[in-house]
Amino acid sequence: MPTLVMKFGGTSVANLDRIRRAAKRVGVEVAKGYDVIVIVSAMSGKTNELVGWVNETSPLHDAREYDAVVSSGENVTAGLMALTLQEMKVPARSWQGWQVPLMTNDAHSAARIEEIPSENITASFAEGMKVAVVAGFQGVSPKGRITTLGRGGSDTTAVAFAAAFEADRCDIYTDVDGVYTTDPRITSKARKLDKIAFEEMLELASLGAKVLQTRSVELAMRHKVKLRVLSSFEEQSDEAGTLVCDEEEIMESNVVSGVAYSRDEAKMTLISVADRPGIAAAIFGPLSESGVNVDMIVQNISEEGRTDMTFSCPVDQVTRAEKAMADAKASGDINYHDLVADTDVSKISVVGIGMRSHAGVAAKMFSSLHDEGINIKVITTSEIKISVLIDRKYMELAVQALHDAFELENAG
Ligand code: ASP
Ligand code: MG
């Protein structure tokens, strides 16, 4: 039997009525002849509530107990989904992570999947079971303790099952009807994309488009899992949603597929550091050790052996970055005149695999920002992405202008 993985996010299982609606969709796929593996999230809001209880009980908690508590939300929905399917006369049973068993490492609260042996679930399908309802987000460590995969981890569970069972497709049911050219709250011209390449989705996911957990996209790309994002609130059809797929499957790719933004960034500049071998390591080593996620880095031309070094990081890490730099200065590892933090910047990025073969994307981006009178503070590029830092007050305007400039209202 061909296998299909269907994942339902928190809003799609938010109450018994929605679970029934989701179960009906599962029933449709079973009727087509699929063995279905359903991955469920906790009911929306449940995981936040559980995390809150843990933090209130024990601020510096034992991560193993955090996982024991926080994984429970998914157990509830898995059991309820199995019961709902049974009521519909669809043979189904629930599986908690340890029963599969979904094996992870022992990095509690951020565990990585190591193996999903398929024997148990395959045997149950062979005995006439039609649906395996698996609790997402959880697994079991080598020591036999329950682990969780990090927030949003059910997406990763779903893709991992699709890879392990060589599923025809992995459908991610959520509360949006697909992946958009940009955030529809910023411009009504945002369009749903029919297809997007793994690499593009990876860039968009890590840039803050919150539809899929970034790790799930990495995993899908590595194992070539066909991933579809679609709404559980709209009519089902084979073309619904957005297919995240291999670049080769996209006949006519857009030069630019999307405009992403990250609102709360900071730009930090170390004024006048000695320009000598090892200086970058002496700056960025301590930053990384203090848990600062440095994104863009620019080193200026040096004058008389001194230079300015600029980097960006999330705005809530500024204090940590300042402390790391002050400590490095105090210990004599680096020496700078001043550290200037600009905490009112946002990052805007245009993403598209077509950039590999088309020149002029950067020029067009910069000129359309110039037309709006927006000053660019830092620029970085990769093969399929150009990012700029700008003043936060122009963020919406910049997204709208770039969406227009690359005619993304005609995408999809
Ligand atoms: N329930 C978990 C969370 O809210 C996992 C998930 O839904 O993906 O993070
Ligand atoms: Mg999610």
Side-chain angles (χ1 to χ4, degrees):
M1 286 287 191
T3 309
L4 191 68
V5 171
M6 303 171 77
K7 182 252 170 179
F8 294 94
T11 48
S12 308
V13 292
N15 54 46
L16 299 185
D17 205 45
R18 294 212 181 146
I19 292 177
R20 261 193 297 275
R21 197 154 16 151
K24 274 196 198 132
R25 285 191 184 251
V26 176
V28 171
E29 300 295 350
V30 170
K32 288 183 194 163
Y34 279 114
D35 282 343
V36 180
I37 299 176
V38 171
I39 311 292
V40 286
S41 284
M43 291 175 169
S44 61
K46 194 70 210 170
T47 309
N48 287 343
E49 183 181 43
L50 295 168
V51 170
W53 288 347
V54 169
N55 287 334
E56 202 180 320
T57 308
S58 172
L60 295 172
H61 47 255
D62 175 349
R64 291 163 299 193
E65 300 306 343
Y66 166 97
D67 282 348
V69 175
V70 168
S71 62
S72 67
E74 273 72 10
N75 296 343
V76 175
T77 35
L80 290 172
M81 176 64 84
L83 287 171
T84 310
L85 287 161
Q86 289 172 8
E87 287 294 320
M88 291 165 44
K89 305 283 180 274
V90 179
R93 71 154 275 196
S94 67
W95 296 81
Q96 296 186 2
W98 65 272
Q99 294 173 310
V100 174
L102 186 151
M103 303 301 303
T104 70
N105 63 9
D106 57 10
H108 283 275
S109 82
R112 297 189 80 88
I113 300 175
E114 298 204 317
E115 205 197 338
I116 304 181
S118 57
E119 293 79 36
N120 292 339
I121 288 181
T122 304
S124 126
F125 283 141
E127 285 161 15
M129 199 56 73
K130 284 288 156 203
V131 184
V133 186
V134 178
F137 177 55
Q138 56 173 265
V140 59
S141 78
K143 293 192 182 114
R145 302 292 303 256
I146 305 300
T147 53
T148 63
L149 308 179
R151 297 306 303 271
S154 298
D155 295 335
T156 302
T157 309
V159 172
F161 270 88
F165 285 81
E166 294 174 9
D168 280 6
R169 226 177 39 239
C170 179
D171 286 346
I172 307 277
Y173 285 89
T174 175
D175 51 359
V176 293
D177 61 352
V179 180
Y180 276 71
T181 50
T182 196
D183 187 340
R185 287 169 302 186
I186 293 191
T187 168
S188 58
K189 293 182 194 162
R191 292 288 175 271
K192 181 178 78 72
L193 293 162
D194 293 333
K195 289 184 176 180
I196 187 166
F198 288 125
E199 288 91 337
E200 294 173 320
M201 190 64 231
L202 206 52
E203 293 286 3
L204 293 175
S206 57
L207 289 168
K210 292 197 179 61
V211 229
L212 289 171
Q213 197 195 34
T214 307
R215 269 170 60 199
S216 72
V217 185
E218 278 166 13
L219 202 60
M221 181 157 97
R222 192 146 18 99
H223 294 279
K224 295 198 182 298
V225 171
K226 261 195 191 170
L227 196 59
R228 195 161 65 130
V229 178
L230 67 174
S231 162
S232 59
F233 303 106
E234 274 164 35
E235 278 312 301
Q236 193 159 0
S237 80
D238 285 342
E239 287 83 49
T242 300
L243 190 68
V244 190
C245 58
D246 230 32
E247 188 171 334
E248 283 78 50
E249 290 179 53
I250 303 177
M251 296 287 278
E252 195 74 61
S253 65
N254 301 310
V255 178
V256 168
S257 294
V259 180
Y261 63 88
S262 168
R263 180 185 300 268
D264 297 316
E265 298 288 315
K267 168 176 168 263
M268 314 278 288
T269 304
L270 287 159
I271 313 263
S272 186
V273 290
D275 190 10
R276 57 163 173 83
I279 193 68
I283 293 170
F284 295 104
L287 286 171
S288 117
E289 278 153 33
S290 327
V292 177
N293 294 313
V294 172
D295 179 24
M296 304 164 137
I297 299 176
V298 180
Q299 181 178 345
N300 282 13
I301 281 185
S302 68
E303 260 178 70
E304 290 161 18
R306 300 195 78 82
T307 185
D308 295 344
M309 186 81 85
T310 297
F311 61 91
S312 72
C313 67
V315 85
D316 56 10
Q317 296 178 357
V318 165
T319 322
R320 223 183 288 175
E322 284 170 341
K323 180 168 186 315
M325 292 298 90
D327 290 351
K329 189 178 185 181
S331 66
D333 294 340
I334 53 174
N335 137 3
Y336 56 87
H337 286 178
D338 204 1
L339 175 55
V340 181
D342 178 351
T343 54
D344 285 322
V345 294
S346 296
K347 181 172 70 166
I348 314 288
S349 307
V350 299
V351 174
I353 43 174
M355 275 184 216
R356 287 197 194 121
S357 47
H358 283 79
V361 176
K364 191 178 212 172
M365 177 177 191
F366 303 153
S367 72
S368 64
L369 292 173
H370 170 232
D371 290 344
E372 301 296 335
I374 300 171
N375 185 35
I376 300 171
K377 303 190 152 191
V378 180
I379 302 168
T380 56
T381 64
S382 77
E383 211 189 356
I384 64 160
K385 178 183 75 173
I386 303 168
S387 301
V388 295
L389 279 190
I390 58 168
D391 278 332
R392 188 169 305 132
K393 63 181 176 206
Y394 297 126
M395 192 196 83
E396 274 89 358
L397 179 62
V399 171
Q400 288 155 357
L402 294 172
H403 200 272
D404 284 348
F406 291 102
E407 295 171 35
L408 290 174
E409 76 272 17
N410 301 323

